[in-house]
């Protein structure tokens, strides 16, 4: 506020007050002139305070191997205000192998009167996984020994389809 004479301004609410979102909020000022020739006066204006858009921070997660369920390491968005994150796809989902797969989040603020809902997306790469081979330690063999199926008996976790190629080969 300004005046055409010297004096002091007192604002209601005080300078630095953070207003909640809403329309037609009254802000008033009382002006007390320094000169005794003027009366104190009050002026009031209204202000519309719009809801804020939350800021969501979420970087593209590191590549994960196939068969890795999504978890907190990938679904780790943050916001500049409190609220709830809902991820698509949700935690524990196992994605197919492929690059630039979309992960999305919908954010609902804890204070919906002051903040809008928000959304964000990132991309994740799901790369080939390394199968886990189970092959028990072999007992000593007596020379001369010919390798056979009794020694070449590795298996793979989860019974993945595929073929083993042994070096040296059977026989």
């Amino acid at each position: 506020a300004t005046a055409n004479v010297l004096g002091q301004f007192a604002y209601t609410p005080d300078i630095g007050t953070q207003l909640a979102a809403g329309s037609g909020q009254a802000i008033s000022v009382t002006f007390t002139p320094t000169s005794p020739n003027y009366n104190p006066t009050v002026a009031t204006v209204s202000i519309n305070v719009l809801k804020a858009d939350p800021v969501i921070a979420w970087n593209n997660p590191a590549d994960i191997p196939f068969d890795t369920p999504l978890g907190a390491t990938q679904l780790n968005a943050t916001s500049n205000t409190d609220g709830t994150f809902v991820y698509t796809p949700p935690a524990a989902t196992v994605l197919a192998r492929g690059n630039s797969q979309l992960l999305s989040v919908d954010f609902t603020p804890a204070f919906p009167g002051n903040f809008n809902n928000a959304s964000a997306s990132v991309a994740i790469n799901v790369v080939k996984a390394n199968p886990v081979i189970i092959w028990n330690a072999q007992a000593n063999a007596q020379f001369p020994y010919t390798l056979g199926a009794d020694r070449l008996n590795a298996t793979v976790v989860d019974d993945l389809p595929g073929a083993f190629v042994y070096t040296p080969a059977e026989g």
Side-chain angles (χ1 to χ4, degrees), residues 65-117:
F66 173 74
D67 220 17
T68 301
L70 293 174
T73 302
Q74 297 80 36
L75 307 177
N76 60 354
T78 61
S79 176
N80 63 334
T81 188
D82 293 335
T84 304
F85 295 94
V86 176
Y87 294 95
T88 303
T93 299
V94 174
L95 298 173
R97 193 169 59 84
N99 291 330
S100 299
Q101 296 189 54
L102 190 65
L103 303 178
S104 300
V105 67
D106 291 319
F107 178 73
T108 303
F111 306 101
N114 290 326
F115 291 92
N116 294 311
N117 291 350

Side-chain angles (χ1 to χ4, degrees), residues 2-158:
T2 60
N4 60 346
V5 296
L6 295 176
Q8 294 205 352
F9 296 95
Y11 294 94
T12 303
D14 290 332
I15 292 175
T17 300
Q18 188 174 32
L19 299 175
S23 60
Q25 297 185 55
I27 301 174
S28 65
V29 63
T30 301
F31 177 70
T32 305
T34 306
S35 170
N37 296 324
Y38 294 94
N39 290 317
T41 188
V42 175
T44 301
V45 295
S46 71
I47 186 170
N48 296 327
V49 179
L50 303 175
K51 289 182 180 184
D53 289 324
V55 176
I56 297 176
W58 193 16
N59 294 323
N60 287 345
D63 294 357
I64 58 173
F66 173 74
D67 220 17
T68 301
L70 293 174
T73 302
Q74 297 80 36
L75 307 177
N76 60 354
T78 61
S79 176
N80 63 334
T81 188
D82 293 335
T84 304
F85 295 94
V86 176
Y87 294 95
T88 303
T93 299
V94 174
L95 298 173
R97 193 169 59 84
N99 291 330
S100 299
Q101 296 189 54
L102 190 65
L103 303 178
S104 300
V105 67
D106 291 319
F107 178 73
T108 303
F111 306 101
N114 290 326
F115 291 92
N116 294 311
N117 291 350
S119 297
S121 296
V122 295
I124 189 169
N125 297 324
V126 179
V127 297
K128 288 182 178 182
N130 293 320
V132 177
I133 296 173
I134 300 170
W135 196 7
N136 295 325
Q138 301 295 308
N140 293 334
Q142 184 69 42
F143 179 81
Y145 181 79
T146 303
L147 283 174
D150 62 322
R151 301 288 178 127
L152 305 178
N153 58 359
T155 60
V156 68
V157 173
D158 296 329

